[in-house]
Each structure stands twice: as C-alpha cells, then as structure tokens.
Amino acid sequence: MSHQPAPAPLLIACALGIEHLALRTGDRRARGAGAPVPRGAGRGAGGPVTFVRTGMGPRAAKRSVTRLLTGPAPAGTAVLATGFCAGLAPGMHPGDLVVAEETRDPRGTVPCVGTELLAKELARLLPGRTVHTGPLTGSDHVVRGPERSGLLATGAIAVDMESAATLLAAVRTGERPVAAVRVVVDAPEHELVRIGTLRGGISAFRVLRSILPAFFDWHRSLLLPRR
C-alpha cells in the first residue's frame, strides 16, 4: 500500500488587522458558517494552516516570520504572503489581484512557486476580477504619486511593505515553497488616503475575504508529483 506524504503546514502572513480579519472571516466561510475559527489557526485542503499578523513594515515581517519558522516549526512549511498592495501600472483598479512571479527588495529577490496555478484558480474563483502576474516589489514606506512610475520602470507591477521581507525571511530559514498574492487597494488613477474609508478599500477587503480557497488549492498542489 502506498502512503501519501504528510502535508506540511501552510503559513499565511499579512500585516494589518483588517487583512487578518478578512482572512479569518474567509476561513470561516470556506469551512462552513457554523465552524469555529481558532485564533490564528485552521485547516486547509493541504494540511494545517496558520494565519499570522506580522505587523506593518519589512522589519516587523522579517522578525515575525523568522521567529515562527525557527525552532520547532515543521520542516518545509509553505509560506504565502498576502494582504493589500498598491498597483503601479496604469489601468489597475482597486479589487484587482496581483500574483507575484517573484518578490524583490534591496536585500534580495525570491522566486515564487505556482504563480500560474494561483492565477488560474483566482480567475476561476472570482470571474470578472482582473488577475495580474509579475514582479512584486517591496518598500519600507507607503508609495504615493510620482514614486509609482519609478518603481514601474524597474518592471514591477505592484508594491507593498511586507511580501518581499516575508518571503526572504522564509527561504533563509530553510527550503520551502513560497508565494505572494495581493489585492490592489489603490492604483495610479485610484489613490486612497485611508484603507477602509473609501469604496476601493471596501472592495479590496471583500476580495481578500474571498480568495482563501485558491490558497488552499495551491497548498494542496504542492503534494502532487512533479512532472
């Protein structure tokens, strides 16, 4: 009799309380409205899932992820960074999705696993929402105005403060699959001042709340034999 390999855990990391709320609400929906949601934990299609709020900024993300993945953390824990981001390309709208092909910041570049699968599952899950794929760049501050065009010129399609630091910390603690999926909360023609107070922020929250099944499918796909 053949045995399936034991599923490695999945760590889903975000920075903000509102992002964490969207994910935990989405987890309850994915598993059934009556199911209890343990603080920070759940179970997806591929094995145990932990949700972590790292805090804002690359330093907080690095510190939180490094702490969680060292010591008794199971080997091979998959890591997915998510939350909101700023779109860089003209024509992007709040609620669009960004699936990173790689994350980058001054400390290094990390290639992502399963970008094509994630993009396909997100498009299937949310028909009508635009899914962008490309490099996701990191910043240590909120990017506004003309700074967007400078980052776009590097080839990046979106920017956030934690994804690059999260994935770099993850791969530096051991070999593991990593990915990043972000929801556009503002864009060149739709710049927001405060998340959650305008329509774009509400749209992004609803999208983030809805996309956990795609994350679980990605996690499950990591157990499949490589072709």
Side-chain angles (χ1 to χ4, degrees), residues 1 4-5 9-10 34 74 88 121-122 135 141 146 151 159-161 163 174 184 187 196 198 200 212 218:
M1 176 185 289
Q4 291 280 15
L10 170 63
L88 298 175
E121 287 302 311
L122 289 167
H141 59 277
L151 292 174
V159 58
D160 76 89
M161 295 174 65
S163 292
V184 174
L198 298 176
L212 273 174
W218 173 80

Short mmCIF file of all heavy atoms in Angstrom, two decimals, residues 1 4-5 9-10 34 74 88 121-122 135 141 146 151 159-161 163 174 184 187 196 198 200 212 218:
data_model
loop_
_atom_site.label_atom_id
_atom_site.label_comp_id
_atom_site.label_asym_id
_atom_site.label_seq_id
_atom_site.Cartn_x
_atom_site.Cartn_y
_atom_site.Cartn_z
N MET A 1 0.85 -1.19 0.00
CA MET A 1 0.00 0.00 0.00
C MET A 1 0.89 1.25 0.00
O MET A 1 1.83 1.35 0.78
CB MET A 1 -0.89 -0.01 1.25
CG MET A 1 -1.75 1.25 1.37
SD MET A 1 -2.70 1.28 2.92
CE MET A 1 -3.88 0.00 2.56
N GLN A 4 0.49 8.55 1.12
CA GLN A 4 0.70 9.94 0.73
C GLN A 4 1.65 10.58 1.73
O GLN A 4 1.58 10.29 2.93
CB GLN A 4 -0.62 10.71 0.71
CG GLN A 4 -1.56 10.30 -0.40
CD GLN A 4 -1.19 10.93 -1.72
OE1 GLN A 4 -0.09 11.45 -1.87
NE2 GLN A 4 -2.08 10.88 -2.67
N PRO A 5 2.52 11.47 1.29
CA PRO A 5 3.36 12.17 2.25
C PRO A 5 2.52 13.04 3.18
O PRO A 5 1.47 13.55 2.79
CB PRO A 5 4.27 13.04 1.36
CG PRO A 5 3.51 13.18 0.08
CD PRO A 5 2.75 11.91 -0.10
N PRO A 9 2.62 22.09 6.89
CA PRO A 9 1.72 23.20 7.22
C PRO A 9 1.84 24.35 6.22
O PRO A 9 2.82 24.46 5.48
CB PRO A 9 2.19 23.64 8.61
CG PRO A 9 2.97 22.49 9.14
CD PRO A 9 3.59 21.83 7.94
N LEU A 10 0.85 25.22 6.26
CA LEU A 10 0.84 26.45 5.46
C LEU A 10 0.78 27.62 6.41
O LEU A 10 -0.08 27.68 7.30
CB LEU A 10 -0.38 26.46 4.53
CG LEU A 10 -0.68 27.77 3.80
CD1 LEU A 10 0.46 28.16 2.86
CD2 LEU A 10 -2.00 27.64 3.02
N GLY A 34 -20.91 27.69 10.40
CA GLY A 34 -21.02 27.32 11.81
C GLY A 34 -19.73 26.87 12.43
O GLY A 34 -19.68 26.60 13.63
N PRO A 74 7.70 22.90 11.78
CA PRO A 74 7.90 21.75 10.90
C PRO A 74 8.68 22.12 9.64
O PRO A 74 8.48 23.20 9.07
CB PRO A 74 6.46 21.34 10.53
CG PRO A 74 5.60 21.93 11.61
CD PRO A 74 6.28 23.19 12.02
N LEU A 88 0.93 49.57 -9.64
CA LEU A 88 1.84 50.52 -10.26
C LEU A 88 1.48 50.85 -11.70
O LEU A 88 1.84 51.91 -12.20
CB LEU A 88 3.27 49.97 -10.23
CG LEU A 88 3.86 49.73 -8.84
CD1 LEU A 88 5.23 49.07 -8.96
CD2 LEU A 88 3.96 51.02 -8.05
N GLU A 121 -6.56 29.74 -10.56
CA GLU A 121 -7.58 29.47 -9.55
C GLU A 121 -8.28 30.76 -9.12
O GLU A 121 -9.49 30.77 -8.87
CB GLU A 121 -6.94 28.79 -8.34
CG GLU A 121 -6.56 27.34 -8.57
CD GLU A 121 -7.75 26.49 -9.00
OE1 GLU A 121 -8.81 26.58 -8.32
OE2 GLU A 121 -7.65 25.78 -10.00
N LEU A 122 -7.54 31.84 -9.02
CA LEU A 122 -8.16 33.12 -8.64
C LEU A 122 -9.12 33.61 -9.72
O LEU A 122 -10.20 34.12 -9.42
CB LEU A 122 -7.07 34.16 -8.38
CG LEU A 122 -6.26 33.93 -7.10
CD1 LEU A 122 -5.02 34.81 -7.11
CD2 LEU A 122 -7.10 34.19 -5.85
N PRO A 135 6.50 40.81 -11.25
CA PRO A 135 7.29 41.06 -10.04
C PRO A 135 6.56 41.98 -9.06
O PRO A 135 5.91 42.95 -9.45
CB PRO A 135 8.56 41.74 -10.58
CG PRO A 135 8.62 41.37 -12.03
CD PRO A 135 7.20 41.28 -12.47
N HIS A 141 8.07 52.13 3.05
CA HIS A 141 7.12 53.21 3.31
C HIS A 141 5.97 53.11 2.31
O HIS A 141 6.07 52.40 1.31
CB HIS A 141 7.80 54.57 3.18
CG HIS A 141 8.40 54.82 1.82
ND1 HIS A 141 9.63 54.34 1.45
CD2 HIS A 141 7.91 55.45 0.73
CE1 HIS A 141 9.89 54.69 0.20
NE2 HIS A 141 8.85 55.36 -0.26
N PRO A 146 4.28 60.26 -7.78
CA PRO A 146 5.26 60.01 -8.84
C PRO A 146 6.21 58.85 -8.55
O PRO A 146 6.81 58.31 -9.47
CB PRO A 146 6.05 61.33 -8.89
CG PRO A 146 5.18 62.35 -8.23
CD PRO A 146 4.37 61.62 -7.22
N LEU A 151 9.08 52.97 -9.76
CA LEU A 151 9.05 51.54 -9.46
C LEU A 151 8.54 50.75 -10.66
O LEU A 151 9.03 49.64 -10.94
CB LEU A 151 8.17 51.28 -8.24
CG LEU A 151 8.72 51.81 -6.91
CD1 LEU A 151 7.69 51.62 -5.80
CD2 LEU A 151 10.03 51.12 -6.55
N VAL A 159 3.45 47.13 -5.48
CA VAL A 159 4.37 47.33 -4.36
C VAL A 159 3.61 47.17 -3.05
O VAL A 159 2.45 47.55 -2.93
CB VAL A 159 5.04 48.73 -4.44
CG1 VAL A 159 4.01 49.85 -4.44
CG2 VAL A 159 6.04 48.93 -3.29
N ASP A 160 4.27 46.57 -2.07
CA ASP A 160 3.75 46.56 -0.70
C ASP A 160 4.93 46.56 0.25
O ASP A 160 6.09 46.52 -0.17
CB ASP A 160 2.83 45.35 -0.47
CG ASP A 160 3.58 44.06 -0.31
OD1 ASP A 160 3.96 43.73 0.83
OD2 ASP A 160 3.83 43.36 -1.32
N MET A 161 4.68 46.59 1.53
CA MET A 161 5.76 46.77 2.50
C MET A 161 6.26 45.47 3.13
O MET A 161 7.31 45.47 3.78
CB MET A 161 5.30 47.72 3.61
CG MET A 161 5.01 49.13 3.12
SD MET A 161 4.30 50.20 4.40
CE MET A 161 5.65 50.30 5.57
N SER A 163 5.66 41.77 1.68
CA SER A 163 5.79 40.50 0.96
C SER A 163 7.25 40.09 0.74
O SER A 163 7.64 38.94 0.98
CB SER A 163 5.07 40.55 -0.39
OG SER A 163 3.68 40.63 -0.21
N GLY A 174 15.04 28.03 5.72
CA GLY A 174 15.01 26.66 5.22
C GLY A 174 14.35 26.58 3.85
O GLY A 174 13.66 27.50 3.43
N VAL A 184 -5.15 44.73 -4.89
CA VAL A 184 -4.90 46.15 -5.12
C VAL A 184 -5.91 46.97 -4.33
O VAL A 184 -7.13 46.79 -4.47
CB VAL A 184 -4.99 46.49 -6.63
CG1 VAL A 184 -4.86 48.00 -6.84
CG2 VAL A 184 -3.90 45.75 -7.41
N ALA A 187 -4.35 52.52 -6.82
CA ALA A 187 -3.66 52.43 -8.11
C ALA A 187 -3.45 53.86 -8.62
O ALA A 187 -3.99 54.82 -8.04
CB ALA A 187 -4.50 51.61 -9.09
N GLY A 196 -10.15 51.33 3.94
CA GLY A 196 -11.38 51.04 4.65
C GLY A 196 -12.36 52.18 4.68
O GLY A 196 -13.51 51.98 5.05
N LEU A 198 -12.90 54.33 2.02
CA LEU A 198 -13.40 54.60 0.68
C LEU A 198 -13.81 53.31 -0.01
O LEU A 198 -13.45 52.22 0.41
CB LEU A 198 -12.33 55.32 -0.15
CG LEU A 198 -11.88 56.69 0.39
CD1 LEU A 198 -10.76 57.25 -0.47
CD2 LEU A 198 -13.05 57.67 0.40
N GLY A 200 -12.86 51.81 -2.66
CA GLY A 200 -11.79 50.92 -3.10
C GLY A 200 -11.30 50.02 -1.99
O GLY A 200 -11.00 48.85 -2.20
N LEU A 212 -9.33 32.62 -0.11
CA LEU A 212 -8.65 31.53 0.59
C LEU A 212 -8.74 30.18 -0.13
O LEU A 212 -7.77 29.42 -0.11
CB LEU A 212 -9.18 31.39 2.01
CG LEU A 212 -8.49 32.27 3.05
CD1 LEU A 212 -9.20 32.16 4.39
CD2 LEU A 212 -7.04 31.89 3.21
N TRP A 218 -3.55 25.86 -3.95
CA TRP A 218 -2.10 25.98 -4.17
C TRP A 218 -1.34 25.09 -3.20
O TRP A 218 -0.44 24.35 -3.59
CB TRP A 218 -1.70 27.45 -4.00
CG TRP A 218 -0.22 27.68 -4.03
CD1 TRP A 218 0.58 27.76 -5.14
CD2 TRP A 218 0.66 27.89 -2.91
NE1 TRP A 218 1.89 28.00 -4.78
CE2 TRP A 218 1.96 28.08 -3.41
CE3 TRP A 218 0.46 27.91 -1.52
CZ2 TRP A 218 3.06 28.30 -2.58
CZ3 TRP A 218 1.54 28.15 -0.69
CH2 TRP A 218 2.83 28.33 -1.22
#
